[in-house]
Amino acid sequence: MTASLAGKTVLVVGGTSGMGYALAEKAAAAGANVHIVGRSVARLTEAKYSITGNVTIHAVDLRNESEVVALARTVARVDHLVTTAADNIFKPFVELSNEDIEAMLTTKLWGAIYLIRHFAKRISPEGSITLFGGAAALKGSPGASIVAALNASMDGLARTLALELAPIRVNTLSPGVVDTPAWDFLPTNDRAAVLGSIGSSLPRGRVGTAEELAQAAFFLMTNGFTTGTVLQVDGGANA
Ligand SMILES: NC(=O)c1ccc[n+]([C@@H]2O[C@H](COP(=O)([O-])OP(=O)(O)OC[C@H]3O[C@@H](n4cnc5c(N)ncnc54)[C@H](OP(=O)(O)O)[C@@H]3O)[C@@H](O)[C@H]2O)c1
């Protein structure tokens, strides 16, 4: 039976796309008051009208701490905070510019820091924080050096903050490759081939779906005894 989130407030940063969107849908279906955060007003509006339930949208760029401060004032109390936001750039390490690296760090690491800093005292003691890392933290992959370092930073934050912020639960979901709009930077013809080839190398024989990862995030959010955990949901990438 799916846990009820009736009367709970769930803030999904990155809830306009991919795994965040699938989670926002799931939380709304479970009765939560869902707040979705992203930068694109068009994507926010589309999410608001395509998800059934109680959905509020906020155009916020996580890279600006002042915008996160304003968001925290607007959404005064939260039960569950989730952030999927990332700006991943895949290139060989020696080709990465400081601007590339700064863009990645500012969204995923500083974004999570700003959110936790300004929301921790607004999250109910029975509530939770769910961060998104990724399988690159555990297994080397050429072109993913900073992505790997950032994903590992999410794992470290969850383990440490589960102690510092207790009884609030803090976990990281570590996806393997998942078919989401994050892969739309690939030319259409290459996209299916790349995801197909990665999928066929996995024990499950395919890449993941946003819905499968939303199920895992929903578990981390609602299971009251899970904290300080890095949950790998990766089709067996590290088996
Ligand atoms: N997809 C994969 O194969 C994969 C594999 C391993 C790990 N992951 C991790 O899983 C997480 C979710 O990935 P996904 O594929 O679901 O991503 P996605 O479809 O690209 O969605 C990213 C979301 O974050 C929002 N966002 C990005 N930058 C933001 C900013 N500065 N401020 C506010 N919102 C921002 C985007 O909205 P706007 O652009 O409108 O702001 C969008 O809603 C990421 O952390 C990613 O690193 C993904």
Side-chain angles (χ1 to χ4, degrees), residues 86-177:
D87 185 5
N88 292 328
I89 299 169
F90 296 92
K91 279 185 194 173
F93 180 77
V94 293
E95 291 175 20
L96 285 166
S97 66
N98 282 356
E99 288 73 22
D100 291 335
I101 296 172
E102 197 59 33
M104 288 191 267
L105 294 179
T106 316
T107 304
K108 193 155 189 171
L109 181 55
W110 278 107
I113 291 169
Y114 296 151
L115 284 166
I116 297 165
R117 176 181 285 160
H118 298 292
F119 276 95
K121 63 179 181 299
R122 300 173 184 276
I123 297 175
S124 71
E126 288 298 311
S128 71
I129 297 172
T130 304
L131 306 173
F132 270 64
L138 291 173
K139 189 167 186 177
S141 172
S145 54
I146 303 299
V147 173
L150 274 171
N151 288 342
S153 75
M154 296 296 109
D155 300 356
L157 275 177
R159 293 193 181 102
T160 310
L161 294 179
L163 301 176
E164 290 191 19
L165 301 182
I168 296 168
R169 296 178 298 101
V170 188
N171 297 293
T172 291
L173 180 56
S174 183
V177 173

Side-chain angles (χ1 to χ4, degrees), residues 16-17 19 39-40 43 61-62 84 88 108 176 178 180 183:
T16 60
S17 176
M19 301 178 234
R39 289 165 302 179
S40 157
R43 292 169 101 184
D61 187 340
L62 274 193
T84 69
N88 292 328
K108 193 155 189 171
V178 180
T180 71
W183 291 94

Side-chain angles (χ1 to χ4, degrees), residues 1 3 31-32 47 52 56 58 75 92 102 119 135 154 167-168 172 207 209 211 213 219 226 230:
M1 197 180 80
T52 305
T56 309
H58 307 268
V75 190
E102 197 59 33
F119 276 95
M154 296 296 109
I168 296 168
T172 291
V207 300
T209 66
E211 169 59 22
L213 273 293
F219 164 79
T226 303
V230 176

